[in-house]
Amino acid sequence: MNKISKTNENFEPYPHSPDVQDRETADNGFSKGLGLHFQPSEAYWLDCHNHLSEDQWTPARLYRALDECFIALDAYRLGRMVAIVEDANAFSICQDVAEHDPRFGWLYRMPFDKPDPDGAQRALDCGALGIKLHNAPLMKGEADPEIWLGPEWSAVFAKLNQAGRAVLWHVTQRAGASPYHGGGDRSYWKEAKNGVKTSNEHLLQATLQVARKYPALSVIGAHQLHLGLDRLSVLFDEYPNLHIDTSCTFVLRWADDLYEGDRTVLRQFFLKYSERILFGTDGTITPGALDAYAVEAFLCHARFIRQLHLPDRVLQLLAHANAERVFKWGAMTPTHRGNIRP
């Protein structure tokens, strides 16, 4: 991992919460040593990647689904989430909920074969934080990646670039299975009926051309673009508007701990590129369906971040501040129930 070097800032491998140091001198050191083991803790998590499970939403059903998520995950400091909306008829509902509930933000998923700059503008006017794109149809052979470089999609990207907005983009898909997190073998690729003339590299290069052409457009590669740390390092260094979310691979199962060697490599990467990584889980929001499985799906992503032993400044960036900056979404004051002891 020679492309990732140690940083001088906060490279102490076992950082503590800033208040521990404050107590050394506050009140003449009266409480010095109190909570000496306290580690940096996230103010709140902002989950940037969630899906609404239904098309026929009403404000009441959406409020119910959100309340269920936040009630169940409040003890783990979930503070905000961004949901992906596929039905343009739901714009007004999402706008109403977002205006009344600072915990909720949304993206409009635009179909690959229906580029609509006016629709993108309507979504932004209704409060959307950006758009979502998914390359699954291209993996199935329904279109060529060059479609993203044509005049219709260029008009959409130009609109987002002008507004300085973001696109959350599922660009590629690993070829093999991933039993660790339940990922199937050749997802999407195996559904192609007449063979596929494209490749992961072709899909990636089309997205990078978009990122290069529209520097004010924040491109967020879902699932780390299915790339390893070395390749991500090269891309981050070349494309300042490129980001990733942590969903699906930056996870740690309930009984696992990071091996120290892996922790060292991952920690260096997260320290160096601390402003390019957004916390996300690829969860699904469904009224009445939040169970232990869904809770653990959230926790395995949070657990991974927590076990990197990151300094407070970096932890806050990953947990919520990066997403708020990228989506131009002002920070919030978390409203946890009672004292924050969990």
Side-chain angles (χ1 to χ4, degrees), residues 88-267:
N89 294 321
F91 284 5
S92 61
I93 293 173
C94 291
Q95 180 180 21
D96 178 74
V97 173
E99 287 178 350
H100 291 87
D101 192 334
R103 303 173 302 177
F104 175 69
W106 58 284
L107 305 170
Y108 174 40
R109 178 172 174 176
M110 194 173 290
F112 80 100
D113 56 349
K114 295 180 181 179
D116 183 2
D118 292 336
Q121 187 62 58
R122 284 196 305 274
L124 296 179
D125 291 343
C126 289
L129 302 174
I131 67 170
K132 166 72 185 297
L133 299 176
H134 204 304
N135 277 352
L138 284 66
M139 299 171 199
K140 298 175 185 178
E142 298 176 26
D144 187 276
E146 302 301 314
I147 191 175
W148 302 120
L149 308 177
E152 296 86 358
W153 275 107
S154 293
V156 174
F157 295 132
K159 184 79 67 176
L160 294 167
N161 185 72
Q162 183 179 11
R165 288 296 182 175
V167 53
L168 176 61
W169 201 335
H170 187 132
V171 178
T172 58
Q173 189 72 26
R174 51 172 169 57
S178 179
Y180 188 85
H181 81 289
D185 185 23
R186 293 186 56 78
S187 299
Y188 307 127
W189 293 108
K190 62 186 177 185
E191 298 179 48
K193 297 179 180 178
N194 299 314
V196 180
K197 297 180 181 180
T198 189
S199 66
N200 272 321
E201 190 63 37
H202 193 183
L203 294 168
L204 175 62
Q205 289 302 321
T207 297
L208 294 176
Q209 286 190 58
V210 172
R212 185 182 305 115
K213 185 175 180 180
Y214 302 101
L217 171 67
S218 293
V219 177
I220 308 164
H223 321 311
Q224 306 97 64
L225 292 166
H226 293 101
L227 294 174
L229 303 188
D230 282 336
R231 184 75 187 278
L232 283 174
S233 299
V234 172
L235 295 183
F236 279 159
D237 291 342
E238 184 173 355
Y239 298 91
N241 57 333
L242 183 65
H243 305 74
I244 56 172
D245 77 19
T246 65
S247 63
C248 296
T249 305
F250 288 147
V251 299
L252 203 60
R253 295 188 65 238
W254 65 274
D256 286 350
D257 189 4
L258 289 172
Y259 297 134
E260 287 304 320
D262 294 338
R263 191 193 327 265
T264 298
V265 172
L266 288 160
R267 190 172 189 270

Side-chain angles (χ1 to χ4, degrees), residues 72-73 76 254 288-300 303:
L73 296 171
Y76 308 109
W254 65 274
L290 190 71
D291 55 14
Y293 193 97
V295 171
E296 184 54 40
F298 171 85
L299 291 179
C300 70
R303 184 181 300 112

Side-chain angles (χ1 to χ4, degrees), residues 36-37 58 69 74 77 105 158 166 172 182 269:
L36 63 89
H37 65 287
T58 64
C69 287
D74 181 58
R77 301 195 186 180
T172 58
F269 178 84

Side-chain angles (χ1 to χ4, degrees), residues 21-39:
Q21 181 65 37
D22 292 343
R23 282 190 287 277
E24 293 289 310
T25 56
D27 193 17
N28 295 317
F30 179 83
S31 297
K32 179 180 179 179
L34 178 68
L36 63 89
H37 65 287
F38 288 177
Q39 299 179 22

